[in-house]
Amino acid sequence: MEHRLPPSPIPDVIVCPHCDAAYKLARPAHGQRAVCVRCHTVLIAPRFKAGLQIIAVSIAVVILVIAATVFPFLTIRAAGASNSVSIIDAALAFSDGPLVVLSLSTAALIIFIPLLRVLLALYVLVPVVLDKMPARGSRQAFRLAEALRPWSMAEIFAIGVAVALVKITDLADVAFGAAFWIFALVVLLVVIQDRFMCRWTVWKSLDGLRK
Amino acid sequence: MSDVQVITAREMGVVGCRRCTQVWPVGTETCGRCGKTLVSRDLKSLQRVWAWWIVGFMCYIPANMYPMLQTRTLFTVQQDTIVGGAVELLTHDAVGVALIILFASVVIPLGKFFAIAYLAISVKRKNAASFEQRQLLYEVVEYIGRWSMIDIFVVAILSALVQLNTLAAVHPGPASLFFALSVIFTMLSAQNFDSRMIWDVQARELGDE
C-alpha cells in the first residue's frame, strides 16, 4: 500500500494573504512592522511583551463586560415616569414575533462575541506566554477567535448609544448608569487588545503543537 | 501603474495560507498549521460574492420601505422609515445626527453594493483603475461595512429605553430585521471576495507589455 507523506511547509517564505506577493521571511524587531510592498498589508508586527499585555487587558475586559451587563446602563425620566435599562435589556429590545432572532443576534454582536473572543485569546495565549505546551485545541480556538473578528461590534454599539442619546435628550432626561462608563472602558480595551496582537507571532508560537 | 515588481506565490509554485500566512507546495489541500483549506485562487469565490450580494440587496429594499421605528405618544402614533426618520431629525435641527444616520444607513450600504459589484466585475476585465486603488476600495468596504449596524443599535436602545407606559413608547418596526440581514449578507459577500484576483490582472497586463 502506498504511504503518502504529509506535505512539508516551505520555511523562510511569507505570502501576503491579500495580494499573494511572496517574500523572504525576515522577522522584524519588536515595535517594527513587516509590510507588503504592493498592497501595504501588515504581515508581521511584533511588540515587546505583547503577550503579557494582551492577557492583562483580556482579564480586565472579562471582568468589565460582566459588570457592564449587570449594572444599569441608562435611565430615562419624563414627566414623573422613569425607565431604567441594562445593556441586556437594550440588546433584547426586539422581543416580539420574528424580531426575536434580531434580539439574540444583537446580544451576540455587542456582548457575547466580544467576550468569547477575549476568552479564546486567553485560552491560547496564557500557556504560550508561560512557556508551556499550547493548550489542547488552541488552533481551533484561535481560528474561531479570528473568524469572529468582524462580528465583534461593541464599538459600533457605542456610536449607536451616542446617536440614540442625541435623539431623545430633547424629549426626556437621560441619566448614565455605572454600566455606561464601564462599557465605554470595555470598548477602548477591546480595541487595544486587538491592536496589540500580532497574528503571525501567535500562529508561529502554535507551530510546535501536534494536531 | 505599480512600479514595484514582486513575485507572487503562484509564480513560485507555492500557495500561501490566507489565515496564518504559512507557505506550502502547490497541491497541498489544507494548511498543516491552522487547518484552512488552501487554494491558489478561489475561482468559485465570485459566485459566492454575487449570491450574498443579491440576497443582501433583496433585503435592503424592504428595509427602506417598512417602518424602522414606531413611536407612540399620548395622542399620536408615528411610523418612521430609515430615510423618513433622518428627515424628521433634520427638521428638528439635529443635522449632525441626521447625517450620521443617513451616512450609516444609506450611503454606506449603497456604496458597498456598488463597490463590491465593481470589484467583482473589474477582476474579469482589463481595467483603468489602479490596483492600489482597488485594493484600498476593498479594504474600505471590509472595514466600513460593519458600521451600518449603527441604526439597528439605535433602534434597540430607543425601544428598550423609551418605555414610559402611556406617555411614550418606541417599538422596532419590521424594517429593522431586513436591514440587519442586509448588513450581514453584504458583510459575507465582501468576506468571500478573493482579493488576490485584483492583482492577477496586474500580472497579466505587465506580461502583455
Side-chain angles (χ1 to χ4, degrees):
Chain A
M1 212 174 92
E2 190 188 1
H3 186 74
R4 281 178 61 186
L5 285 167
S8 51
I10 296 164
D12 303 329
V13 177
I14 186 168
V15 168
C16 173
H18 281 121
C19 75
D20 210 36
Y23 301 98
K24 192 174 181 310
L25 180 59
R27 296 184 75 156
H30 288 300
Q32 295 192 316
R33 310 191 302 172
V35 180
C36 174
V37 291
R38 73 171 180 181
C39 77
H40 312 298
T41 303
V42 177
L43 301 172
I44 312 175
R47 295 176 63 99
F48 185 62
K49 295 221 166 160
L52 218 53
Q53 289 167 346
I54 294 169
I55 289 174
V57 172
S58 302
I59 293 173
V61 169
V62 173
I63 297 168
L64 291 176
V65 165
I66 294 169
T69 47
V70 178
F71 290 112
F73 187 60
L74 291 171
T75 306
I76 184 175
R77 278 186 214 90
S82 85
N83 184 33
S84 185
V85 293
S86 68
I87 292 183
I88 291 278
D89 293 331
L92 299 180
F94 307 99
S95 49
D96 39 322
L99 293 181
V100 172
V101 192
L102 198 52
S103 272
L104 296 177
S105 33
T106 312
L109 293 174
I110 60 183
I111 303 164
F112 297 117
I113 291 178
L115 184 62
L116 178 64
R117 284 195 70 224
V118 167
L119 290 173
L120 289 169
L122 281 175
Y123 183 77
V124 173
L125 288 180
V126 167
V128 170
V129 169
L130 296 177
D131 274 333
K132 300 228 171 74
M133 273 295 283
R136 275 182 63 193
S138 279
R139 293 160 184 229
Q140 285 84 347
F142 194 57
R143 221 153 80 188
L144 181 61
E146 285 297 280
L148 289 176
R149 180 138 76 125
W151 306 101
S152 167
M153 298 193 179
E155 75 274 27
I156 298 168
F157 180 72
I159 304 289
V161 173
V163 172
L165 286 180
V166 178
K167 268 193 162 183
I168 45 176
T169 39
D170 289 351
L171 312 169
D173 288 331
V174 179
F176 303 129
F180 182 85
W181 306 108
I182 297 173
F183 192 77
L185 202 55
V186 167
V187 169
L188 193 68
L189 290 179
V190 166
V191 174
I192 290 176
Q193 195 250 19
D194 205 55
R195 281 286 151 84
F196 275 13
M197 186 158 357
C198 170
R199 272 82 198 166
W200 187 86
T201 312
V202 176
W203 281 120
K204 187 81 189 159
S205 65
L206 297 179
D207 236 357
L209 178 68
R210 71 226 171 281
K211 246 181 265 177
Chain B
M1 181 68 45
S2 166
D3 47 3
V4 191
Q5 275 293 341
V6 293
I7 299 174
T8 65
R10 195 210 286 226
E11 287 158 2
M12 281 179 69
V14 295
V15 54
C17 175
R18 299 201 70 196
R19 184 153 53 202
C20 71
T21 68
Q22 178 66 272
V23 183
W24 302 87
V26 154
T28 314
E29 279 170 9
T30 51
C31 175
R33 176 151 78 179
C34 73
K36 189 170 173 66
T37 309
L38 296 173
V39 276
S40 183
R41 291 297 176 275
D42 194 348
L43 298 173
K44 289 207 182 95
S45 79
L46 282 183
Q47 289 184 27
R48 291 198 301 273
V49 169
W50 282 116
W52 288 120
W53 190 95
I54 290 167
V55 190
F57 195 75
M58 277 162 60
C59 289
Y60 189 67
I61 295 166
N64 277 283
M65 291 171 68
Y66 288 110
M68 191 83 166
L69 268 185
Q70 189 201 59
T71 313
R72 191 178 49 73
T73 50
L74 271 183
F75 308 107
T76 57
V77 176
Q78 190 185 348
Q79 298 209 333
D80 283 324
T81 57
I82 294 174
V83 178
V87 170
E88 178 88 356
L89 277 171
L90 275 177
T91 58
H92 283 87
D93 285 339
V95 181
V97 185
L99 288 181
I100 291 178
I101 294 278
L102 277 178
F103 195 71
S105 313
V106 181
V107 179
I108 292 181
L110 284 180
K112 213 177 151 180
F113 284 122
F114 280 119
I116 297 174
Y118 169 71
L119 285 172
I121 293 168
S122 78
V123 297
K124 288 275 187 189
R125 55 183 69 198
K126 286 200 169 189
N127 205 279
S130 86
F131 314 98
E132 285 86 357
Q133 280 170 8
R134 274 185 287 154
Q135 179 72 33
L136 184 70
L137 181 64
Y138 174 68
E139 274 161 25
V140 168
V141 163
E142 274 240 279
Y143 179 77
I144 218 168
R146 315 154 63 230
W147 290 92
S148 301
M149 280 301 236
I150 287 180
D151 216 16
I152 295 294
F153 294 148
V154 171
V155 173
I157 297 158
L158 289 180
S159 330
L161 194 58
V162 185
Q163 295 295 341
L164 298 170
N165 300 325
T166 51
L167 203 60
V170 170
H171 290 288
S176 54
L177 179 63
F178 289 110
F179 190 79
L181 285 176
S182 174
V183 175
I184 289 170
F185 291 146
T186 39
M187 279 176 71
L188 289 171
S189 175
Q191 282 175 21
N192 271 297
F193 184 73
D194 187 347
S195 62
R196 293 175 299 187
M197 291 191 295
I198 294 176
W199 298 88
D200 284 345
V201 186
Q202 175 191 29
R204 219 178 298 151
E205 282 176 6
L206 288 178
D208 287 346
E209 281 163 11

